[in-house]
Amino acid sequence: MTEPVWGPVHRDIVDLLADHPADVPAVVDHLTKLQDMLVRLPPLEASCPLADFNRLYLTITSSVLDGLYDDRFVDPAFLSRLDVEFAARYFDAMRMWTDSSPGTPKAWSCLFERMRGPDARPLPSAAAGVNAHINFDLPFALVTTFDHLESEPVDGSDQHHDYLEINKIFADKIPGLRRGYLERWQLLIDMLNGDIDDWYQGELVEYTRDVAWRNAQKIWRCRHDPDARECERMRLDDNAAALGRLLLSPLGAFLQ
């Protein structure tokens, strides 16, 4: 008999994924419950690869929710919708993997495949999840958000301002999160490096999210052309999968 995809928490995860979060508080609630489930999976040598990413994603999304409550954003309706559409793509990828669907994005499959080994270190696992979510999911989440709001991705707009504001949340949260993934010897090197690693990670997130915005603009222009849109989907999925496999490789783990 084949073991369920999610082991002893398979039914709990299936039930959770059957519900679709309709707002940001519901997204945070889903991610919180999912984290509790993922950390109960039979552990590999170090940790659960997907839980390592989900923890980071939960932290960032919780900070976005705090920003919405604090009137931090110019167009909260846009950012709320984007957050929901963004999360939906992550949950959809998990749902497809659960159903053994051939439509599961390759960008996510390379991380899901590590759930049963070989062991992946926490930082590369989190980085591979961020890669799949930003480089593949985010451009399409932006397009569906703008389509729903009957707007479009324009540089310098209120929506673009709020989109860039998320970079500041990453810059604030990533240093602490990143150190939480490091082993003792890595923490020593990190301390010797001073603020260099924090600066580098912040610049990388900012650059990657800018590329995602540009890709969304490209998809937006061809959104009514199914063939062109599918071509973009395949291109972004292939590129993100290639980077994900590198991040999860021994070389990727060494570089981080």
Side-chain angles (χ1 to χ4, degrees):
M1 182 177 179
T2 304
E3 184 180 355
V5 173
W6 304 110
V9 295
H10 185 85
R11 176 43 55 187
D12 291 337
I13 289 181
V14 168
D15 290 343
L16 180 71
L17 295 176
D19 187 27
H20 296 261
D23 53 30
V24 184
V27 170
V28 171
D29 182 65
H30 262 57
L31 292 173
T32 301
K33 291 176 178 175
L34 181 59
Q35 186 68 16
D36 291 341
M37 296 171 192
L38 291 174
V39 296
R40 287 190 279 127
L41 280 171
L44 294 171
E45 182 180 338
S47 59
C48 168
L50 191 57
D52 292 327
F53 162 71
N54 195 82
R55 175 158 61 95
L56 182 153
Y57 188 25
L58 172 58
T59 299
I60 298 299
T61 307
S62 297
S63 297
V64 171
L65 179 59
D66 290 341
L68 289 167
Y69 286 147
D70 295 338
D71 296 324
R72 178 172 182 169
F73 307 108
V74 180
D75 188 348
F78 160 74
L79 209 56
S80 296
R81 185 70 191 191
L82 176 59
D83 197 283
V84 170
E85 295 287 348
F86 194 33
R89 297 190 65 86
Y90 170 48
F91 296 134
D92 285 346
M94 287 189 65
R95 194 176 299 110
M96 286 187 280
W97 181 255
T98 302
D99 296 337
S100 300
S101 169
T104 306
K106 289 181 284 186
W108 281 111
S109 294
C110 63
L111 179 59
F112 295 156
E113 287 167 354
R114 301 302 287 264
M115 300 298 291
R116 298 181 184 276
D119 183 62
R121 290 180 178 176
L123 183 56
S125 297
V130 170
N131 161 65
H133 210 28
I134 293 181
N135 287 323
F136 178 66
D137 290 340
L138 185 52
F140 293 98
L142 280 163
V143 170
T144 54
T145 296
F146 280 113
D147 191 48
H148 175 81
L149 297 176
E150 298 181 344
S151 183
E152 58 184 296
V154 176
D155 291 355
S157 62
D158 288 346
Q159 293 79 18
H160 192 216
H161 171 275
D162 286 345
Y163 181 80
L164 296 176
E165 188 70 17
I166 301 300
N167 293 344
K168 298 178 184 178
I169 292 178
F170 270 99
D172 179 54
K173 297 296 181 181
I174 285 295
L177 282 166
R178 184 174 58 80
R179 292 185 181 93
Y181 295 121
L182 300 180
E183 299 175 11
R184 287 186 178 181
W185 66 272
Q186 292 172 313
L187 285 170
L188 177 60
I189 294 175
D190 185 76
M191 181 180 67
L192 294 174
N193 285 341
D195 294 332
I196 293 177
D197 287 338
D198 292 343
W199 172 84
Y200 161 74
Q201 292 289 340
E203 290 294 306
L204 183 60
V205 167
E206 186 172 334
Y207 171 78
T208 304
R209 294 189 78 252
D210 182 64
V211 171
W213 178 267
R214 302 301 165 200
N215 281 324
Q217 290 177 319
K218 187 174 182 180
I219 298 167
W220 180 261
R221 290 191 291 270
C222 69
R223 67 191 184 282
H224 298 307
D225 183 337
D227 291 339
R229 183 183 171 106
E230 175 61 13
C231 200
E232 283 301 301
R233 188 199 67 78
M234 292 176 61
R235 178 181 69 85
L236 294 178
D237 195 14
D238 287 342
N239 290 346
L243 180 54
R245 287 191 290 268
L246 175 62
L247 290 168
L248 292 166
S249 71
L251 175 61
F254 173 78
L255 292 174
Q256 295 176 74

